[in-house]
Amino acid sequence: MRVLLMLLCLLSVTAQATVYKWIDKDGNIHFSDQPHANAQQVKLPDNTGNQVTMTPVNAISNEEPTTAAEQKALYQVSIVSPHHEATIRDNAGDFTVTGNVQPELASGHYLQLFIDGVATSDAQASPVFQLKNIDRGEHKLQLKVEQQNGKVLASSSEITIFLHQAGLIKPAIPAPSAKRVNG
């Protein structure tokens, strides 16, 4: 193995080829390591080696760099209204969700409301969300603080609400009973 390495080192020193320069009929200048008709040998200065210094490499981290604003932003997020296990009665399926965030949101941070794990709308700076046309039934709500790139910085506890809507089916009308006639 060492012999092979020594041979490669010797070959690299002797591999410094002669460079030839010539001009074609269109006036273009060409360089080659092969001789050509009307080519001139190019004399290279002895000191053609480049000096490259490597800067120390820092370890690569999979974590995104944190800014001073992110380090300070340890948010406390909660849903104020409706409360956990609340029953909401609205035939149109409209209601308001109000959140609370402490401290105030930093620039570039937004609130996102999730219903049953799905974002309800675009992220916003306001902690008040107007929901429209939500289906009746049990739903899980959660509020999250996110950066513009979607990275979640804080989340509220998940709460459950029950949305009731009046049914459209009319109750069955009992059939008139036949009266007995004695006779």
Side-chain angles (χ1 to χ4, degrees):
M1 183 66 142
R2 290 183 188 188
V3 174
L4 180 63
L5 183 60
M6 293 291 263
L7 285 173
L8 288 174
C9 288
L10 288 173
L11 286 175
S12 67
V13 171
T14 60
Q16 185 175 11
T18 306
V19 177
Y20 298 95
K21 172 184 172 182
W22 76 93
I23 300 174
D24 65 11
K25 63 181 179 181
D26 297 326
N28 296 322
I29 299 173
H30 298 274
F31 294 92
S32 175
D33 61 350
Q34 301 293 322
H36 190 271
N38 301 328
Q40 298 174 354
Q41 184 176 350
V42 177
K43 192 73 167 161
L44 298 174
D46 291 335
N47 186 9
T48 60
N50 291 331
Q51 301 262 338
V52 178
T53 57
M54 297 294 290
T55 57
V57 178
N58 294 332
I60 297 174
S61 171
N62 290 338
E63 297 178 14
E64 293 181 22
T66 56
T67 63
E70 289 175 20
Q71 291 173 349
K72 291 181 184 176
L74 299 174
Y75 293 110
Q76 298 296 321
V77 186
S78 62
I79 296 175
V80 177
S81 172
H83 58 68
H84 181 57
E85 295 188 347
T87 298
I88 300 169
R89 290 179 172 80
D90 190 288
N91 289 338
D94 301 344
F95 63 97
T96 301
V97 175
T98 306
N100 184 28
V101 179
Q102 293 297 327
E104 191 173 309
L105 290 175
S107 176
H109 296 176
Y110 299 96
L111 290 171
Q112 181 70 61
L113 179 65
F114 290 82
I115 297 182
D116 300 325
V118 178
T120 59
S121 63
D122 292 333
Q124 62 186 42
S126 170
V128 178
F129 294 84
Q130 298 291 332
L131 301 177
K132 304 272 184 208
N133 199 26
I134 304 299
D135 291 334
R136 68 181 179 174
E138 177 181 325
H139 297 285
K140 306 236 181 256
L141 305 177
Q142 188 174 34
L143 192 58
K144 296 182 181 181
V145 176
E146 297 180 346
Q147 289 179 319
Q148 287 178 331
N149 63 5
K151 179 181 177 184
V152 176
L153 301 175
S155 300
S156 72
S157 298
E158 192 173 73
I159 68 164
T160 302
I161 58 113
F162 304 96
L163 181 60
H164 285 232
Q165 296 171 333
L168 298 177
I169 300 174
K170 293 181 182 178
I173 300 173
S177 58
K179 292 185 182 180
R180 247 186 204 178
V181 180
N182 289 334

